[in-house]
Amino acid sequence: MMDSKVSLEVARALYAQMCHFHEETDQQRLQSDKTTKQTALLVQSIGTLLLIFVVVIAFYITELANQFTYIVSSIEQMNEKAITISKQMSGMKNDMVQVNEHVLHMDKVLTNMRSINHHIGAMEQETGVITEQIVHFDQLGEQAMQLMGSMNKKMSHINQSTSHINLRMYQISKPAKLLPNP
């Protein structure tokens, strides 16, 4: 019987051990459930935060891509404007070259005008001399006209005298015409 008492004691000890193990297992299961719920809540929170983070990152990447597109577009516009400005500057340079040529030409014109002014001054003096000579020539013409008038009167007088001489010669020669011819 001893064996049965020992067996019973062993069985009771085993049962107590099993109960104790079962209680510990239940406690650990409860503890594990609690930890699992906390872990699941933590994982859910982390997942939610990661999802929010991914959404925010996606939003910022989209905004960054839009801004990059805008920047590239702005750079293209600036490049086109720079090309336009470069063309306009080239045109302005050509215009300035032409203006410089015109200014140089104006210097030549100014030099020519000064030379012309000098010649005009000389021409003015020569015109004065010519005018004096024309006045003198006019006076000579008047004197010549007066002389011609005087000569005309004298020629008229000579013609009258010659006419008288002719008449006298005719009158003198009339009796000689009556004489016979030899």
Side-chain angles (χ1 to χ4, degrees):
M1 274 255 158
M2 195 55 170
D3 265 336
S4 106
K5 256 187 179 183
V6 172
S7 281
L8 191 58
E9 281 293 319
V10 167
R12 280 186 194 183
L14 274 172
Y15 181 72
Q17 279 281 339
M18 292 281 274
C19 283
H20 181 61
F21 180 73
H22 183 35
E23 275 183 33
E24 277 186 21
T25 306
D26 274 347
Q27 260 186 351
Q28 283 195 358
R29 188 180 53 79
L30 288 174
Q31 183 77 22
S32 176
D33 283 346
K34 186 179 174 184
T35 305
T36 301
K37 285 181 185 178
Q38 287 176 348
T39 304
L41 185 63
L42 182 64
V43 167
Q44 270 185 336
S45 299
I46 290 173
T48 304
L49 286 174
L50 281 174
L51 182 63
I52 291 170
F53 182 71
V54 167
V55 168
V56 168
I57 291 293
F59 174 75
Y60 281 122
I61 287 174
T62 303
E63 281 298 310
L64 184 63
N66 289 340
Q67 290 298 321
F68 185 73
T69 303
Y70 177 74
I71 288 169
V72 168
S73 174
S74 296
I75 289 173
E76 286 176 359
Q77 290 175 357
M78 285 174 48
N79 190 29
E80 289 171 5
K81 289 178 182 176
I83 290 170
T84 302
I85 289 170
S86 176
K87 288 178 182 175
Q88 290 174 346
M89 291 298 284
S90 177
M92 285 175 58
K93 180 184 171 191
N94 291 339
D95 291 343
M96 288 304 293
V97 167
Q98 288 179 353
V99 166
N100 284 340
E101 289 173 3
H102 292 309
V103 167
L104 290 174
H105 182 70
M106 289 305 289
D107 283 341
K108 291 177 185 175
V109 168
L110 183 62
T111 303
N112 289 339
M113 290 301 287
R114 287 182 181 148
S115 175
I116 288 170
N117 282 342
H118 174 71
H119 291 296
I120 286 175
M123 284 174 60
E124 229 172 19
Q125 291 173 353
E126 289 174 12
T127 304
V129 170
I130 290 170
T131 303
E132 288 175 7
Q133 288 176 352
I134 288 172
V135 167
H136 181 68
F137 184 71
D138 190 40
Q139 290 170 352
L140 287 176
E142 284 178 18
Q143 288 176 358
M145 289 299 284
Q146 288 172 358
L147 284 174
M148 291 291 278
S150 175
M151 281 176 60
N152 200 8
K153 284 180 184 177
K154 287 180 183 179
M155 285 303 277
S156 288
H157 183 21
I158 290 172
N159 279 341
Q160 284 176 358
S161 296
T162 306
S163 213
H164 286 301
I165 291 172
N166 276 341
L167 185 62
R168 294 268 254 180
M169 289 294 279
Y170 181 70
Q171 288 172 353
I172 292 173
S173 70
K174 245 186 183 181
K177 280 187 180 179
L178 294 174
L179 292 174
N181 277 343

